[in-house]
Amino acid sequence: MKEFEEILKNSSNWIKGIPASPGIFTGKAYIYTKEKLEIKHGEVNDVDEAIKSFKEAIQRSSYELNKIFGLAREKMGDQRASIFEAQLMILEDPQLINSIEQRIISERREPEFIVYEVFNKYLNVLYASTEPYMKERALDIDDIMQRLIRNLQKKRWVSRIQNDAIVVSKTLTPADTILFSRNNVKGYITEHGGLTSHAAIIARSLDIPAVLGAINSTSLIEDGSTIIIDGFHGYCFFNPSESQLKYFKTKQEKIRLTQKKMEGINSLPAVTTDGKEIKLFSNVDISGEIENVTSCGSEGIGLYRTEQLIEELGEFPDEEVQERIYSDLAAKIYPLNITIRAFDLGGDKTRLFHPHEANPFLGLRGVRFLLENEELFRMQIRAVLKASVNKNVKFMIPMISTISEVKKCNLIIKECMAELDSKGINYDSSIQTGIMIEVPAAAVMASSLAKETDFFSIGTNDLIQYLMAVDRGNDTVALLYQEFNPAVLMTLKFISEAAISNKLPFSICGEMAADPMAVPVLIGLGFESLSLSPSGIPVVKQIVRSLSYSKCVKLIKKLEKLESEKEILDTIEQFFITHKISRNNLIF
Ligand code: PEP
Ligand code: MG
């Protein structure tokens, strides 16, 4: 990362945009300029002829969209391709067709003018919306209108693109994105469009790097010149220097090697042999780790430890800095989700503020610190809310011990929302906010807590430390730090049953989730979501794929009766042997 920062500092031949689809490629730019539509708005002499040509244009546009829909299904699967099905439905909407025809008849104006007017009525509403999502949908409607008008004017979509080019354009429609991909396009750079645009979604589905919102790219980049696109961080380098080319070549090679190692398993779902799907998320400590999240086949970020920011930055980040970092992470991971954890300050972590506690692990840590330093907490909440505009952010509170702490946090979050509302600032008003279960008191009260929150994330690192009364970092008592102690398993069972009976989503984000031995236990306990460090995901996924959920449930029945960690570990070991599941012969 340091080297990258140096490159940015020492050069100016780059443009920063939104990292919309990950990947790096060096290639030739293809500047794509769309022909500007000239709309004829005069009167027509023959209305029947005008209606006929409108009908033909609808037919031709449906034919084209159907072709693109077929191509999209082939390349991206049914679900993602449904974007084009939706476009087709709008185009063939009888009410829309009828209203245009009626206006052609009554106003005797050129059909292209009427189409332009009718569509623009909708477009203006969408463009005026403050919701980025609505603005993005406007691009889709605009695409249908342009297609229809082009067909009324009997023009064809033309492009003289060469294979392996990086397309640079002011905007890209979903259809452009799909059509260009036939020429093996290696990247998309646009001046407009955001993360939720269908062009971005398609680029991600097709695994083509994309940087959107790269202002002035069509004027700064020359057609046919060499450019580097870095879809991980949202940069494009034009006329790159030798050292820039070398840096990205090495980086690309690194990514290729990692991907090769993970090949095969990454694209497969984590599903048990009897069909239970387990969602695997990544824990992220440092923002730069995000590249590993997208390349390891995880479903998003299940834990982002924000207190690490203080280490990373060497100072406490203010609201603006936090907003930028959280927004950037949320953008990079989109459409996957990120769960941002409130600062877990205190304990053995950053102790900037209360360095003199005798027992820091039992002191002013996590939510206790946040409630004592409310302004700092509010600053973080506002930053998280502002980063949630694309609806892919969740928020969670660490170190909860009592119900009243949860209620206080919920109230503060509500007040922060009201504050943003009063300033007209956008955020996701239905953002999910959950709590960490990592203090035994919270585990015991799980059923009541479940009624006050949106999800549980179990922090076994701390839960085990507090349950067993062993300092998690103290070697001398390390033997007592027992993940598989019956007390730990029974506590996990208790929490999961409380969550299940309250229909509350629950997950685990402690290191235990990455322990291959724990995987059948967690699945047997009903966990459907695990969050662990990205490097552990392929191994855990491989194990999930070789387990049967019903057998894991039976395993729990056996483990429940045991009274020591050793017996439990022996029984799990035997389970792996009986079911011929190897833990050693995994992908690494
Ligand atoms: C945990 O306690 O398990 C956890 C995930 O949080 P941390 O390790 O950051 O305390
Ligand atoms: Mg913890």
Side-chain angles (χ1 to χ4, degrees):
M1 213 47 198
K2 278 243 146 46
E3 200 182 341
F4 186 53
E5 277 156 22
E6 283 297 308
I7 290 182
L8 291 180
K9 214 163 74 190
N10 297 326
S11 58
S12 55
N13 60 331
W14 50 267
I15 311 163
K16 170 87 176 91
I18 300 163
S21 175
I24 290 172
F25 191 76
T26 304
K28 298 276 181 239
Y30 168 70
I31 310 287
Y32 171 54
T33 15
K34 280 183 209 174
E35 203 185 320
K36 204 170 170 328
L37 282 180
E38 300 286 344
I39 313 283
K40 281 192 279 179
H41 48 77
E43 276 194 17
V44 288
N45 298 327
D46 186 341
V47 172
D48 290 343
E49 193 54 38
I51 296 282
K52 187 168 159 251
S53 73
F54 172 63
K55 284 199 161 122
E56 278 169 7
I58 294 266
Q59 237 171 27
R60 175 78 206 171
S61 304
S62 299
Y63 169 78
E64 286 174 1
L65 266 175
N66 259 314
K67 248 176 99 174
I68 296 167
F69 180 36
L71 197 63
R73 279 169 67 172
E74 199 182 290
K75 292 203 171 216
M76 320 194 293
D78 283 0
Q79 201 192 347
R80 292 267 155 120
S82 58
I83 296 166
F84 298 103
E85 201 177 14
Q87 286 202 359
L88 265 167
M89 279 165 73
I90 297 173
L91 180 70
E92 291 168 354
D93 176 20
Q95 240 179 336
L96 178 81
I97 296 180
N98 192 32
S99 75
I100 295 176
E101 283 181 355
Q102 286 313 316
R103 281 193 57 180
I104 298 173
I105 296 167
S106 61
E107 295 174 32
R108 302 184 69 88
R109 301 283 287 270
E110 284 286 350
E112 57 192 71
F113 174 75
I114 308 280
V115 167
Y116 182 78
E117 274 226 331
V118 169
F119 273 82
N120 265 283
K121 223 167 58 201
Y122 294 110
L123 284 173
N124 290 338
V125 175
L126 292 174
Y127 281 126
S129 165
T130 49
E131 282 265 335
Y133 180 84
M134 300 295 270
K135 282 205 168 98
E136 301 294 1
R137 296 296 73 80
L139 286 178
D140 298 346
I141 309 276
D142 194 36
D143 189 26
I144 307 172
M145 179 189 78
Q146 303 252 358
R147 182 176 304 283
L148 202 45
I149 294 178
R150 188 166 39 72
N151 281 318
L152 276 165
Q153 299 176 344
K154 305 214 170 1
K155 290 184 177 157
R156 296 283 167 263
W157 191 86
V158 276
S159 104
R160 40 172 189 85
I161 191 171
Q162 306 279 326
N163 272 356
D164 294 341
I166 297 172
V167 174
V168 184
S169 173
K170 283 209 190 297
T171 55
L172 270 182
T173 65
D176 295 334
T177 321
I178 276 284
L179 290 172
F180 279 130
S181 76
R182 282 193 305 191
N183 291 81
N184 216 11
V185 155
K186 288 298 197 298
Y188 293 109
I189 299 170
T190 68
E191 294 195 3
H192 307 288
L195 209 60
T196 52
S197 67
H198 279 140
I201 294 170
I202 292 173
R204 278 193 290 275
S205 298
L206 298 173
D207 214 6
I208 297 173
V211 175
L212 307 190
I215 297 166
N216 292 335
S217 49
T218 55
S219 43
L220 287 169
I221 299 171
E222 270 174 57
D223 192 45
S225 65
T226 300
I227 48 172
I228 301 170
I229 175 168
D230 175 353
F232 287 112
H233 299 100
Y235 284 91
C236 351
F237 289 81
F238 47 98
N239 306 320
S241 65
E242 278 308 310
S243 63
Q244 287 169 340
L245 286 167
K246 192 164 155 248
Y247 170 80
F248 281 102
K249 199 166 171 220
T250 317
K251 198 157 173 186
Q252 229 177 325
E253 184 56 16
K254 244 198 221 155
I255 293 165
R256 195 187 63 78
L257 287 175
T258 318
Q259 280 169 347
K260 195 161 170 42
K261 234 179 20 193
M262 310 252 189
E263 231 165 57
I265 190 94
N266 279 354
S267 52
L268 299 174
V271 182
T272 62
T273 53
D274 47 356
K276 189 168 170 81
E277 194 185 340
I278 309 296
K279 299 245 183 252
L280 300 179
F281 294 90
S282 296
N283 289 353
V284 168
D285 286 3
I286 302 174
S287 37
E289 285 175 4
I290 188 113
E291 281 166 32
N292 308 338
V293 176
T294 41
S295 63
C296 77
S298 86
E299 309 229 14
I301 299 176
L303 165 66
Y304 174 53
R305 290 180 164 100
T306 54
E307 63 278 2
Q308 296 295 340
L309 271 178
I310 301 164
E311 304 289 336
E312 211 179 316
L313 303 171
E315 60 182 5
F316 197 86
D318 64 21
E319 187 170 331
E320 223 170 279
V321 171
Q322 285 187 56
E323 183 195 337
R324 184 174 49 73
I325 294 172
Y326 305 153
S327 299
D328 205 37
L329 282 170
K332 281 179 181 162
I333 202 78
Y334 188 89
L336 303 177
N337 286 336
I338 174 170
T339 302
I340 299 177
R341 184 176 72 181
F343 294 123
D344 185 10
L345 297 162
D348 64 339
K349 305 193 185 186
T350 309
R351 289 169 62 196
L352 278 181
F353 305 92
H354 292 268
H356 302 303
E357 290 177 300
N359 253 326
F361 271 123
L362 305 181
L364 204 60
R365 187 187 160 186
V367 70
R368 305 169 188 183
F369 173 86
L370 297 170
L371 291 175
E372 281 283 314
N373 294 274
E374 222 182 280
E375 203 25 62
L376 191 141
F377 189 24
R378 284 176 189 270
M379 228 163 78
Q380 182 171 39
I381 296 170
R382 288 191 299 259
V384 170
L385 288 174
K386 285 185 245 171
S388 71
V389 276
N390 288 321
K391 302 186 195 301
N392 69 329
V393 173
K394 297 183 190 185
F395 188 49
M396 73 175 169
I397 320 285
M399 282 293 289
I400 291 288
S401 327
T402 67
I403 293 168
S404 84
E405 284 169 346
V406 184
K407 288 186 173 165
K408 277 185 200 157
C409 291
N410 288 345
L411 188 66
I412 295 175
I413 295 170
K414 263 209 179 118
E415 285 172 2
C416 289
M417 287 180 166
E419 196 183 330
L420 297 193
D421 286 338
S422 70
K423 292 181 182 152
I425 298 173
N426 250 331
Y427 63 92
D428 175 10
S429 55
S430 46
I431 185 172
Q432 300 268 296
T433 59
I435 58 170
M436 291 206 55
I437 303 287
E438 49 186 348
V439 173
V444 173
M445 295 304 287
S447 212
S448 309
L449 286 167
K451 298 178 176 68
E452 303 294 332
T453 194
D454 292 330
F455 62 89
F456 284 164
S457 183
I458 304 174
T460 42
N461 303 343
D462 278 312
L463 187 60
I464 297 169
Q465 124 162 307
Y466 294 123
L467 203 56
M468 301 298 294
V470 275
D471 177 341
R472 65 196 245 190
N474 183 341
D475 284 353
T476 46
V477 283
L479 278 180
L480 255 186
Y481 189 92
Q482 299 177 350
E483 265 177 14
F484 295 94
N485 185 285
V488 173
L489 295 194
M490 287 308 100
T491 307
L492 290 179
K493 185 163 180 280
F494 187 82
I495 304 168
S496 54
E497 283 171 355
I500 291 167
S501 64
N502 282 285
K503 297 192 173 54
L504 190 83
F506 66 107
S507 172
I508 171 172
C509 61
E511 288 309 306
M512 191 170 178
D515 184 343
M517 286 288 271
V519 178
V521 177
L522 297 172
I523 291 181
L525 287 173
F527 282 82
E528 290 175 351
S529 151
L530 316 175
S531 190
L532 54 147
S533 67
S535 60
I537 287 191
V539 174
V540 170
K541 194 186 272 187
Q542 185 99 333
I543 295 179
V544 169
R545 292 177 57 82
S546 44
L547 289 173
S548 128
Y549 168 61
S550 59
K551 285 180 182 152
C552 294
V553 172
K554 285 190 190 132
L555 170 69
I556 298 293
K557 295 257 174 289
K558 271 192 193 168
L559 299 182
E560 273 175 336
K561 302 193 183 91
L562 306 177
E563 291 177 341
S564 74
E565 178 176 59
K566 177 157 188 331
E567 284 172 280
I568 289 179
L569 281 172
D570 288 347
T571 309
I572 302 174
E573 188 77 57
Q574 196 51 51
F575 176 86
F576 274 93
I577 295 168
T578 312
H579 298 297
K580 299 192 176 60
I581 302 165
S582 164
R583 279 179 297 120
N584 306 322
N585 190 17
L586 290 164
I587 209 150
F588 294 116

